Amino acid sequence: MKNAKIRLYVDADLADGQAVAVSRDQSHYLFGVMRLKEGAFVALFNGRDGEWLAKVTAANKRNGMLVCLEQSKPVQMPPDLWLLFAPIKKARTDFIVEKAAEMGAARICPVSTEFTQSDRVRQDRLQAHALEAAEQCGGTYVPEVAELQKLDAVLANWPADRKLLFCDETRVGEAVTDLTVLGAGPWAILIGPEGGFSAREVERLRGMDGVHSVSLGPRVLRADTAAVAALALWQKALGDWG
Ligand code: SAM
């Protein structure tokens, strides 16, 4: 099979013989920066149709055209895992979104808690980070990044069948739970902000059905580290790292 060194996300449907127009930015990147010429190969994915090997049929710096030749990977859906996290500083929030996409979260939900410092996030920017992460890591799925919502509102509408792994810093030093005993199914992980959760939030979460309050070990981790650690623990025990 021909080799494509560049992977690109596109909105268009992908299928045998499908022509795909690339955007101005992508054309700039493919034909201006990477200097691809007609006849070169690019791997395309759209989050729905797997990955396709495509051939460049028109190349100029403002627009271009590719044609799908053959499917190089089927779409691989991640496990049904959401990551809920309280936004922190911009670069660290970007890091959380990027790592969550790489590590196989199906949905990424910023939530604002009592001690959340930043009350605004640019959903479109975070979504672009998730997309770029999928491009880089060979994923064929792009997790949706939800708009920022208040944690209280999210919990008020919590789906009865989805379990929640509440990463609870008040349990620091306790043994880390073996997540395999908690059972498979739809799950979410919840990570708090730099200031942690308020006593009211901890009480509410601990009182909810389907919420499992867990320790992440003997040290208090920064929120971005905690997100990566919790995703790794969950993926190994209950996800697709097994
Ligand atoms: N300022 C808080 C404190 O000193 O207790 C720590 C908050 S921590 C920086 C941010 C989030 O990471 C927490 O809300 C929690 O969700 C998670 N976290 C960090 N370390 C943890 C641990 N050892 N066990 C459980 N959760 C942890």
Side-chain angles (χ1 to χ4, degrees), residues 19-197:
V20 177
V22 288
S23 69
R24 190 177 172 138
D25 283 354
Q26 289 174 326
S27 297
H28 171 73
Y29 170 68
L30 291 178
F31 312 126
V33 180
M34 302 307 290
R35 304 198 176 267
L36 295 192
K37 307 277 182 245
E38 280 182 29
F41 296 102
V42 176
L44 300 179
F45 73 107
N46 60 8
R48 307 181 300 275
D49 300 321
E51 181 189 274
W52 283 77
L53 181 73
K55 189 174 182 172
V56 176
T57 55
N60 67 66
K61 287 181 191 166
R62 295 204 174 156
N63 52 53
M65 192 64 80
L66 290 91
V67 171
C68 293
L69 300 181
E70 59 193 276
Q71 194 185 46
S72 40
K73 270 186 204 173
V75 67
Q76 191 190 4
M77 298 300 286
D80 190 357
L81 173 67
W82 298 354
L83 175 69
L84 274 59
F85 73 99
I88 42 178
K89 290 193 186 88
K90 187 166 158 280
R92 289 181 182 276
T93 295
D94 292 351
F95 175 93
I96 290 175
V97 170
E98 182 183 288
K99 298 308 154 208
E102 283 176 33
M103 296 179 82
R107 190 156 185 262
I108 301 170
C109 310
V111 289
S112 97
T113 66
E114 278 188 42
F115 299 153
T116 302
Q117 281 158 329
S118 101
D119 266 343
R120 284 166 45 119
V121 291
R122 288 266 314 274
Q123 185 276 342
D124 57 337
R125 227 175 44 84
L126 294 182
Q127 185 66 67
H129 279 296
L131 204 151
E132 245 172 62
E135 263 175 9
Q136 296 296 320
C137 74
T140 49
Y141 173 85
V142 182
E144 179 207 354
V145 181
E147 293 284 356
L148 181 68
Q149 276 186 283
K150 288 204 181 308
L151 176 65
D152 281 338
V154 171
L155 296 181
N157 296 306
W158 192 252
D161 65 339
R162 186 171 294 275
K163 293 180 232 178
L164 181 61
L165 193 73
F166 165 36
C167 298
D168 181 351
E169 70 272 2
T170 66
R171 293 204 184 278
V172 65
E174 293 182 19
V176 178
T177 308
D178 171 9
L179 302 187
T180 54
V181 302
L182 300 179
W187 269 94
I189 289 170
L190 173 62
I191 302 290
E194 282 167 14
F197 292 99

